[in-house]
Amino acid sequence: MDHYFILLFFGFLAAVIGVSLPGLLNMTAVKVAQERGKQASILYIAGALSIIFVQTYVAIFFAKLIDSSPFITEILHEIGLLIFGSLTLYFLVFAKRKEKKENDTVKRLKNPYVYGALLALINVFSIPYYVFLSVTLASYQYPIFEWAYTVIFSIGVVFGSALMFYAYISVFKKVANENAFLLRNINYVIGTITGIICLVTIYKLLR
């Protein structure tokens, strides 16, 4: 029973650390909250969390199969580089040109849940992170590869991610009242973040 609580806590802590840095999902959560309101942001977060749960489970499954082999992780990095490179180009090059159109697109979204799920689906950068963590936990004899413990760890990740999404929305809501400039240029913030992720990924691939 102790392992259940320990792995739940580790999953929660891993997500808090991972999502605490500005990223595509949490910054977009802020954008949806500002442009669509609280209900839309809740649906967006629910969509993202559902995919995050599956991604964490898949990451642990990969870790069990490859046992820290770099092959699949390198493939994921290459896929992530392509995706985040495209996102960087869009947000930095086309954001100003299509700012009004983009705002209209976000407002026309009928299902923010699907929007959150789709963004989480392309955000494969977190999978190698949880592969590494699960291999590390297994090396300390935690039974994370058993399906029940895998589910518990994944639930912990969902709880931690939900907390950080809420924290980002709450903090930026206060900032919005004092500094509208940041929110007007949030596309450039997101583009800069994805650009940094691209550079980190290129560094790892070339190393």
Side-chain angles (χ1 to χ4, degrees):
M1 184 63 68
D2 289 341
H3 283 158
Y4 284 108
F5 289 109
I6 291 174
L7 289 175
L8 182 70
F9 171 75
F10 277 142
F12 177 86
L13 183 62
V16 168
I17 294 173
V19 185
S20 63
L21 298 175
L24 177 65
L25 293 179
N26 47 29
M27 295 305 294
T28 305
V30 173
K31 185 174 182 179
V32 172
Q34 292 295 328
E35 297 184 357
R36 292 290 307 277
K38 182 178 180 180
Q39 184 176 358
S41 66
I42 291 174
L43 289 174
Y44 166 86
I45 291 172
L49 292 178
S50 63
I51 298 300
I52 287 172
F53 176 86
V54 174
Q55 285 178 331
T56 306
Y57 194 96
V58 169
I60 298 173
F61 178 76
F62 279 162
K64 183 178 180 180
L65 290 179
I66 67 180
D67 194 19
S68 74
S69 170
F71 178 70
I72 295 180
T73 301
E74 184 174 343
I75 293 176
L76 291 173
H77 278 150
E78 292 174 352
I79 295 173
L81 177 61
L82 178 63
I83 292 172
F84 283 106
S86 300
L87 289 173
T88 301
L89 183 66
Y90 173 79
F91 282 111
L92 292 183
V93 177
F94 298 107
K96 185 174 182 62
R97 190 180 308 170
K98 297 186 178 181
E99 183 175 355
K100 184 178 185 302
K101 292 182 179 179
E102 183 181 282
N103 289 340
D104 292 341
T105 300
V106 174
K107 290 176 182 178
R108 286 198 304 268
L109 280 175
K110 300 299 182 183
N111 197 332
Y113 178 92
V114 175
Y115 185 45
L118 288 175
L119 281 185
L121 191 62
I122 66 174
N123 188 38
V124 297
F125 195 76
S126 62
I127 294 180
Y129 173 62
Y130 289 115
V131 168
F132 170 77
L133 284 178
S134 56
V135 169
T136 302
L137 289 171
S139 69
Y140 286 98
Q141 307 305 315
Y142 289 106
I144 191 170
F145 293 148
E146 297 180 16
W147 75 268
Y149 293 102
T150 299
V151 171
I152 288 296
F153 182 86
S154 301
I155 291 173
V157 169
V158 168
F159 285 159
S161 300
L163 175 64
M164 295 311 298
F165 285 144
Y166 176 78
Y168 261 81
I169 291 174
S170 299
V171 168
F172 273 81
K173 184 177 180 180
K174 295 178 181 179
V175 171
N177 296 328
E178 302 174 359
N179 189 0
F181 174 81
L182 180 61
L183 291 172
R184 285 199 307 268
N185 293 276
I186 197 167
N187 285 335
Y188 299 101
V189 175
I190 296 174
T192 301
I193 291 167
T194 55
I196 292 172
I197 293 174
C198 284
L199 293 176
V200 172
T201 303
I202 291 172
Y203 170 77
K204 288 184 177 181
L205 290 173
L206 295 178
R207 188 174 57 179

